[in-house]
């Protein structure tokens, strides 16, 4: 196919490696600060209140992720080629996801799903739908800004909020309630989100206003979005169910221990996601050197996977010890199992990156469904027998199954994508 006319190209971005490094640095800072948040909260508040607050925030975060309708993957895949259609896609996504967020948050409260365990007071029930809405907008901003090649703003947004969230903790410690923790989280997230949205609508979309779009047919976009949404529905089950399983089977204290270890797992997952997001954004731009980008992505993913595994195995127990001996005793087996799980998850994530760029998500959907089924089903049965380590054993087994399933397709897709024929990407792919 003919080369992409200059008029249809977006302005050059900072490059995949620079974008990935920026996003990973942001994730590291955000992860460290997030852990500091729960460490400080654990020191200043009763363990049971920390456990309840973490469960409320975790549940609201999962519902907000569901409300995003997996638009993040589509933004990363198609915004680089959207041109003058960018503003309509961004605004439409905010309106759609925001509506879904309010419905999900209100439905969760009205159905009484968390009453007695999570939302046992009226203020919490009133706050919860708004918390889901704010977290939805906040979550959508990352893929939108990444798709617009504004990785530095993503880093600034996330790091700023992570710092701001810690500041009110000593001031609110006298309340010693989960409502104070969740409420301060809500107010600060809303403020940061509003500031970034205002900038985005006023100035952030200006660069693409006069750029001709180079998108694939609408049918193909909807097919990609449908597969992404189905996959996201499956992936949402694990972070939604596991905190509730731990809370119901082991109590709020164990929920606090689990939340701290889970934060480490989220940090490792975010580093992998940063590489994927940067790769998908750069490789989806018209005229991108996809083969070279793919080789670079594979190297970055291997480095990230190794660092995460070593960091979790060596640093995780130390962090738990710093928080308290009870955290170490309960969480050390889980964090060590999480380190092993990360190795397998990195292989699956590498395949996911290739699948998104090539718009072939069927196998990835099946793999994610299997991983979720083994993780949630195994954890539900094991936590009553071996405690929190049961969650780790189930996750390790699930990720091993997923990695084994994608191993051969991963090699095949990598060879195909790095072949000389793909060195210049076709228009709209």
């Amino acid at each position: 196919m003919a080369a992409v006319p200059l008029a249809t190209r977006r302005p050059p971005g900072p490059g995949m490696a620079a974008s990935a490094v920026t996003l990973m640095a942001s994730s590291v800072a955000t992860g460290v600060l997030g852990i500091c948040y729960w460490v400080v909260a654990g020191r200043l508040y009763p363990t049971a209140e920390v456990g309840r607050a973490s469960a409320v925030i975790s549940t609201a975060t999962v519902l907000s992720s569901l409300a995003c309708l997996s638009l993040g993957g589509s933004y990363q895949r198609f915004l680089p080629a959207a041109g003058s259609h960018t503003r309509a896609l961004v605004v439409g996504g905010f309106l759609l996801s925001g509506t879904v967020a309010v419905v999900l948050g209100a439905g969760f409260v009205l159905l009484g799903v968390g009453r007695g365990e999570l939302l046992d007071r009226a203020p919490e029930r009133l706050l919860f739908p708004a918390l889901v809405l704010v977290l939805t907008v906040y979550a959508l901003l990352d893929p939108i800004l990444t798709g617009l090649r504004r990785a530095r703003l993503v880093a600034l947004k996330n790091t700023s909020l992570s710092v701001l969230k810690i500041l009110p903790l000593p001031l609110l410690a006298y309340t010693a309630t989960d409502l104070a923790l969740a409420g301060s989280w809500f107010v600060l997230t809303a403020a940061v989100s509003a500031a970034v949205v205002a900038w985005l609508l006023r100035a952030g979309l200006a660069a693409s206003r006069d750029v001709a779009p180079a998108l694939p047919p609408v049918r193909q976009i909807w097919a990609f979005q449908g597969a992404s949404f189905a996959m996201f529905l499956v992936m949402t089950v694990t972070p939604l169910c596991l905190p509730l399983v731990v809370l119901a089977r082991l109590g709020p204290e164990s929920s606090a221990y689990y939340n701290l270890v889970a934060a480490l797992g989220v940090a490792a997952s975010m580093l992998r996601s940063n590489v994927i997001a940067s790769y998908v954004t750069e490789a989806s731009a018209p005229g991108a050197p996809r083969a070279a980008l793919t080789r670079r992505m594979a190297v970055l993913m291997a480095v990230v996977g190794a660092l995460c595994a070593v960091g979790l195995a060596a640093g995780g127990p130390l962090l738990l010890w710093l928080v308290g001996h009870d955290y170490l005793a309960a969480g050390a087996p889980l964090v060590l199992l999480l380190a092993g799980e990360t190795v397998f998850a990195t292989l699956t994530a590498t395949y996911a990156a290739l699948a998104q760029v090539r718009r072939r998500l069927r196998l990835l959907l099946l793999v994610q469904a299997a991983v979720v089924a083994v993780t949630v089903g195994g954890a539900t049965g094991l936590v009553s027998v071996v405690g929190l380590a049961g969650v780790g054993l189930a996750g390790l087994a699930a990720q091993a199954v997923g990695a084994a399933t994608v191993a051969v397709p991963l090699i095949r897709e990598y060879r195909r994508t790095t072949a000389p024929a793909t060195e210049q990407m076709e228009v709209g792919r």
Side-chain angles (χ1 to χ4, degrees), residues 233-278:
L233 285 175
V234 171
M235 294 174 64
T236 301
V237 174
T238 299
L240 180 62
C241 290
L242 287 185
L244 298 179
V245 168
V246 172
L247 183 65
R249 298 292 180 90
L250 302 177
E253 288 80 9
S254 291
S255 182
Y257 307 145
Y258 169 77
N259 178 74
L260 183 55
V261 177
L264 296 174
V266 169
S269 178
M270 284 300 301
L271 291 179
R272 296 191 295 268
S273 297
N274 294 154
V275 178
I276 294 174
S278 300

Side-chain angles (χ1 to χ4, degrees), residues 109-151:
V109 172
L110 293 176
L111 292 175
V113 178
R115 187 167 297 182
E117 293 289 348
L118 292 178
L119 309 174
D120 57 348
R121 291 189 289 267
E124 292 174 330
R125 293 191 287 274
L126 292 175
L127 174 67
F128 191 75
L131 177 61
V132 176
L133 173 61
V134 167
L135 291 175
T136 298
V137 174
Y138 185 83
L140 271 183
L141 285 171
D142 278 11
I144 289 173
L145 293 172
T146 302
L148 295 174
R149 299 177 177 178
R150 301 278 186 170

